[in-house]
Amino acid sequence: SVGLEDGDVFFFNDELGGGVHTYDMFTAMPVFWHGELVAWVSCGGHQGDSGSPVPGGFNAKAITRYDEGFHIPMMRIGRNFLLHQDVLDMLAGSVRNSFIFTSDLRSRLATMQQMHQRFIREIERRGKEAVIGGMRLMLLRAEHMARKRLLEINDGVYRHVMFNDEEIAGAPALTRIPIVAWKHGD
């Protein structure tokens, strides 16, 4: 409903919109070939601060997802391969260190621009169908290999306790996080 054009830049960190958790922040950009959407390039990863109550990001005492800082669903933050300054100012103003946040976001944009250019160059060299088919084949092979590897692991329940360093009332502390995984088949 918002339209989509070559050079649009999107940002999201909302785990309900495809992220892992609030601190994983992603940028994405559509790639068009002769007016047709052929792919998306994306760059993202863990960011140290999302404006949560705890400096450095991870709030081990969070009771709800809203205790972890800002949650941005997929939102356009730029056009024509450029960031919108007003949106960048809003995002950077939501964290403790706006310089690091802004530098990281600009780096991700530069990375996506390179990916976009290289993707177009490959289409020009090999043809659209060959490039898209090659990407599809990589996804299918990766899925096959992952399922094959999972079959090598015994079915069952796997338990582990993870500890997270944090600070409680100004003193160093550990938070105990029990983890359980159920494995069946592939």
Side-chain angles (χ1 to χ4, degrees), residues 20-130:
V20 176
H21 63 165
T22 307
Y23 314 104
D24 288 334
M25 299 184 191
F26 295 89
T27 51
M29 177 184 291
V31 179
F32 284 84
W33 176 252
H34 296 294
E36 177 187 359
L37 177 64
V38 293
W40 284 83
V41 294
S42 181
C43 184
H46 191 89
Q47 184 81 15
D49 188 13
S50 66
S52 83
V54 179
F58 184 71
N59 183 2
K61 296 187 292 184
I63 296 171
T64 73
R65 64 191 222 108
Y66 301 104
D67 296 329
E68 298 175 333
F70 64 67
H71 295 262
I72 307 294
M74 183 71 81
M75 176 176 82
R76 183 182 297 126
I77 63 168
R79 286 191 174 237
N80 298 319
F81 303 97
L82 298 171
L83 297 173
H84 291 156
Q85 190 62 46
D86 58 341
V87 178
L88 182 58
D89 290 345
M90 183 271 299
L91 291 170
S94 300
V95 298
R96 286 172 182 80
N97 191 327
S98 60
F99 176 78
I100 290 175
F101 181 88
T102 301
S103 298
D104 186 73
L105 194 56
R106 290 185 188 282
S107 296
R108 289 178 182 174
L109 174 59
T111 300
M112 287 191 312
Q113 288 172 327
Q114 288 296 312
M115 294 166 66
H116 185 282
Q117 290 171 2
R118 290 180 181 179
F119 196 88
I120 294 298
R121 186 177 66 213
E122 286 303 306
I123 289 177
E124 290 169 346
R125 285 180 57 211
R126 301 174 192 271
K128 180 184 82 169
E129 290 76 15

Side-chain angles (χ1 to χ4, degrees), residues 145-164:
M145 290 168 37
R147 289 182 182 281
K148 183 178 174 184
R149 176 66 182 107
L150 284 170
L151 285 172
E152 296 172 6
I153 300 170
N154 292 332
D155 286 350
V157 179
Y158 293 84
R159 299 174 195 278
H160 182 74
V161 176
M162 184 176 90
F163 292 92
N164 187 59

